[in-house]
Amino acid sequence: MSKTESALSIFALGGMSEIGKNMYAIQCADDIVIIDCGNKFPDESLLGIDLIIPDMTYLLENKDKVRALIVTHGHEDHIGGIPFFLKKFNVPVYATRFTLGLIELKLKEHKILRESELKEINSDSNLSFGEMSVSFFKVTHSIPDCLGIVFHTPEGNIVHTGDFKFDMTPAVGEERSELHKMSDIGKEGVLLLLSESTNAERPGLTPSEKMVGEHVEEAFLKADGKVILSTFASNVSRVQQVVDACVKTDRKLALLGRSMVNVVSIAMERGYLDVPEGMLIEQDQIHALMPEQVAILCTGSQGEPMAALSRLSTGDFRGVEILAGDTVILAAGPIPGNEKSVTKIVDNLYSIGAKVIYGSGSSSGMHVSGHGYQEDLKLMLTLMKPKYFIPIHGEVRMLHHHRMLAESVGVEPGNTFIMKNGDVVDIDHGEARQTRKIPAGDAYVDGVSVGDVGEMVLRDRKQLSEDGMLVFVLTISKSERKLVSGPDTITRGFVYVKNSEELLKDINRLVTKAVNEQLTENRKLQWKDMKNHIKKHVGQYLFQHTKRKPMILPLIIEI
């Protein structure tokens, strides 16, 4: 152990100052246990990138100390990076029954399920890793089988809440948070608490899921044509509410979207979803029934362009059509950044003539958050009574709001650590300090490769997408020091050739001049120097005349 390390350390590898890509680690002596391994989806600036996962450089440097991965629940931002993690670390993954079902799907897609060690746990499980023992408690969230984690260490107890809210009237089949266990953990003593911060800015208590079920049933009873409801596939309690509404209104139910079909299948197989026999129909059976006999449950509530709802809104879903008079329900609030995409879908649906119910909370009654509001967060803090506190899973402002909430219920000012990815909290003799960093950040998944695409590649892609490219093909005799043929100019995404012939002629003359200057003046001729000379002169000329900066690629053929 180095001088900078302590007997107990908490590492933020993802999920700090951001929402998504959750990954944390706790190290006790020579044993490291990972908590969650999620992904997040790229924004429009990350051209061609499929997924963002945590940078695992530090873990790879300490590979012999990594003992296990414990997963709190099955949302993408907590399990999406697991296949990439398991390709590098041969350690067991511990998760609840439903969460394991979702993880298994991912590992099958990556063809690594057989060699992966998956171990089922529940809130009564106990694990041991060196000097650490681990226990669990149930929390309520917007997906089944969610756990909080307690690490019992020689320094004291470290608690990770997972994502949670307190719902005293949860939907049918959804388990209540184990308040009595949380209270006992707090009485035993909590040295440090890591608690999620997503809704730290929102006052009050999170509304109950039961409210959504009542509104869904009311909408189904009022609907004349088909009912199309879009929600997160993982929100099994919401799916059950749709099934229950179908039972009361005598409708058959069709599932659209791969993730919806997969999650519903897992939930039914493992006993988390009760669907009457004969209710589910295939999409090609929809037109065989009267519109008032059909309900459709689909993906796409976040405006994803290739998801089912988006394609339905543009009439681009083969074999299924939304008609004037159909009722479309968006039973999920837009994640920050997705508002524009969702609004576009809503506009498309209104253009068709559909009745659209959208908006979260009291505006529609069709969605409540799975993350605790301020009073939920204060209740967790009050139950746990931690000496030290790390707000996690939230953007910077949310972490600071959560810090203020913690201080309002008794956490000492100065005992809260606002961390960024890569920050470390070390604990020694019951005292915590944040004084060092480890390598951390984003790893980009592009196709099948991870980490091959960096800032330079992304910068090139951005330049190509904005200003296009110009390629000059030149044939030069190095012995005779003269231009034999060319330049032949190829342009993509810069100008339309037929409308820009004069500009391209001027550029060709400029390239010829730049090449001849180099051939005449530069005795020790290097092709790299000539290419840079062409790029400089052409670049200056184009910006002066077009105010654009296309990528310039001179290709020199030597004869």
Side-chain angles (χ1 to χ4, degrees):
M1 191 178 297
S2 71
K3 292 180 181 179
T4 57
E5 291 179 329
S6 65
L8 182 65
S9 302
I10 293 90
F11 304 91
L13 299 167
M16 306 302 302
S17 305
E18 64 180 355
I19 294 178
K21 192 172 65 73
N22 290 278
M23 192 179 200
Y24 313 92
I26 180 165
Q27 179 172 354
C28 185
D30 287 329
D31 302 296
I32 297 176
V33 176
I34 313 301
I35 308 163
D36 293 335
C37 182
N39 67 20
K40 68 177 181 180
F41 295 100
D43 60 30
E44 57 195 18
S45 69
L46 297 175
L47 301 166
I49 300 301
D50 299 313
L51 291 174
I52 305 168
I53 61 173
D55 181 352
M56 301 177 196
T57 301
Y58 177 79
L59 298 179
L60 288 168
E61 291 171 355
N62 294 270
K63 193 172 183 177
D64 60 323
K65 297 179 182 179
V66 177
R67 303 288 177 250
L69 167 63
I70 301 175
V71 184
T72 59
H73 66 283
H75 278 146
E76 283 293 314
D77 56 339
H78 296 259
I79 69 170
I82 290 178
F84 306 99
F85 173 84
L86 289 180
K87 288 174 184 178
K88 297 178 180 179
F89 299 90
N90 184 24
V91 298
V93 177
Y94 295 90
T96 54
R97 190 160 177 261
F98 183 73
T99 305
L100 281 182
L102 299 177
I103 294 171
E104 284 174 12
L105 271 179
K106 293 188 170 296
L107 301 186
K108 279 180 186 174
E109 289 178 5
H110 285 259
K111 297 180 173 58
I112 57 170
L113 179 58
R114 283 189 177 183
E115 55 264 39
S116 300
E117 187 180 357
L118 305 181
K119 297 195 174 185
E120 185 178 323
I121 55 173
N122 56 45
S123 64
D124 296 322
S125 297
N126 288 283
L127 308 175
S128 183
F129 306 99
E131 297 178 13
M132 274 189 292
S133 62
V134 183
S135 61
F136 304 91
F137 55 94
K138 291 177 187 174
V139 292
T140 304
H141 186 37
S142 54
I143 189 172
D145 262 6
C146 302
L147 294 175
I149 310 172
V150 187
F151 294 90
H152 306 270
T153 79
E155 289 286 343
N157 291 342
I158 311 297
V159 176
H160 185 293
T161 65
D163 289 0
F164 74 94
K165 65 177 179 179
F166 291 103
D167 191 342
M168 304 309 170
T169 56
V172 176
E174 206 172 75
E175 294 180 326
R176 290 179 174 83
S177 300
E178 291 184 318
L179 287 162
H180 61 287
K181 262 195 180 180
M182 297 180 200
S183 178
D184 290 343
I185 293 163
K187 287 174 185 174
E188 185 182 329
V190 174
L191 177 62
L192 186 145
L193 174 69
L194 297 95
S195 182
E196 73 127 326
S197 311
T198 310
N199 278 333
E201 299 170 285
R202 302 177 73 169
L205 282 163
T206 312
S208 173
E209 187 69 29
K210 188 178 179 182
M211 176 193 81
V212 176
E214 294 166 355
H215 284 90
V216 168
E217 184 181 319
E218 183 184 355
F220 269 63
L221 288 167
K222 289 180 178 178
D224 297 321
K226 294 193 296 294
V227 177
I228 299 94
L229 187 141
S230 182
T231 190
F232 295 111
S234 59
N235 196 335
V236 174
S237 63
R238 193 74 47 83
V239 174
Q240 185 66 61
Q241 290 167 335
V242 173
V243 170
D244 294 343
C246 286
V247 170
K248 293 199 175 182
T249 56
D250 197 25
R251 290 176 183 263
K252 300 291 185 182
L253 181 62
L255 306 175
L256 302 183
R258 188 175 66 133
S259 61
M260 185 65 73
V261 172
N262 287 341
V263 173
V264 168
S265 297
I266 291 170
M268 290 174 67
E269 286 169 10
R270 303 194 175 210
Y272 294 90
L273 191 58
D274 181 18
V275 182
E277 191 173 343
M279 173 177 284
L280 292 179
I281 60 172
E282 298 297 327
Q283 69 180 62
D284 57 7
Q285 296 175 270
I286 292 172
H287 289 303
L289 298 168
M290 298 294 290
E292 59 270 18
Q293 296 176 306
V294 177
I296 295 171
L297 187 58
C298 67
T299 56
S301 61
Q302 297 306 305
E304 305 95 317
M306 296 308 294
L309 185 62
S310 179
R311 289 157 58 203
L312 285 168
S313 75
T314 57
D316 193 30
F317 200 106
R318 191 172 62 185
V320 184
E321 189 178 7
I322 295 178
L323 303 173
D326 286 346
T327 298
V328 182
I329 302 168
L330 275 71
I335 293 169
N338 292 346
E339 295 90 350
K340 189 182 292 185
S341 300
V342 174
T343 300
K344 184 178 180 181
I345 288 176
V346 172
D347 286 343
N348 290 341
L349 293 168
Y350 272 117
S351 298
I352 293 169
K355 300 172 184 174
V356 191
I357 303 172
Y358 64 101
S360 59
S362 58
S363 63
S364 72
M366 292 298 177
H367 176 67
V368 295
S369 178
H371 302 273
Y373 289 12
Q374 289 181 352
E375 295 306 314
D376 302 69
L377 301 181
K378 284 156 69 175
L379 177 55
M380 179 64 79
L381 285 156
T382 302
L383 289 167
M384 294 296 175
K385 299 186 281 289
K387 178 180 178 181
Y388 293 104
F389 177 53
I390 300 177
I392 59 173
H393 195 317
E395 294 168 3
V396 176
R397 66 186 187 281
M398 301 167 187
L399 305 182
H400 280 275
H401 273 88
H402 205 172
R403 172 186 58 79
M404 291 186 281
L405 292 175
E407 291 176 0
S408 74
V409 295
V411 175
E412 288 290 328
N415 280 9
T416 297
F417 300 100
I418 304 293
M419 300 170 70
K420 295 179 182 177
N421 292 332
D423 286 346
V424 183
V425 167
D426 292 309
I427 300 173
D428 201 7
H429 295 94
E431 297 297 320
R433 65 187 188 280
Q434 180 186 336
T435 58
R436 64 186 176 108
K437 294 180 74 70
I438 59 168
D442 294 338
Y444 299 130
V445 179
D446 186 3
V448 295
S449 65
V450 181
D452 293 347
V453 177
E455 293 301 322
M456 291 294 289
V457 174
L458 289 172
R459 195 182 310 155
D460 286 348
R461 288 181 182 179
K462 188 171 187 292
Q463 186 178 3
L464 285 168
S465 72
E466 291 177 348
D467 293 320
M469 66 184 291
L470 273 171
V471 180
F472 301 109
V473 183
L474 307 152
T475 304
I476 295 176
S477 171
K478 196 169 186 179
S479 59
E480 297 181 26
R481 300 181 70 84
K482 71 175 184 178
L483 181 63
V484 177
S485 70
D488 295 322
T489 305
I490 303 165
T491 174
R492 292 290 184 272
F494 173 55
V495 290
Y496 184 49
V497 175
K498 288 185 178 179
N499 294 342
S500 308
E501 290 180 356
E502 286 301 317
L503 176 66
L504 294 175
K505 284 179 182 177
D506 289 343
I507 295 170
N508 284 345
R509 282 193 288 268
L510 185 64
V511 172
T512 302
K513 180 183 177 186
V515 170
N516 288 330
E517 284 175 357
Q518 285 288 295
L519 291 170
T520 304
E521 299 171 7
N522 196 340
R523 292 288 177 189
K524 295 181 180 180
L525 187 61
Q526 298 289 332
W527 297 140
K528 181 181 176 183
D529 294 335
M530 181 172 285
K531 288 178 181 180
N532 288 334
H533 190 66
I534 293 169
K535 286 180 184 179
K536 178 183 175 183
H537 283 72
V538 173
Q540 289 174 346
Y541 179 85
L542 289 176
F543 187 73
Q544 183 180 351
H545 288 81
T546 68
K547 300 299 183 215
R548 292 160 68 185
K549 294 181 178 180
M551 182 175 286
I552 300 166
L553 297 174
L555 298 179
I556 298 175
I557 301 169
E558 181 184 343
I559 61 169

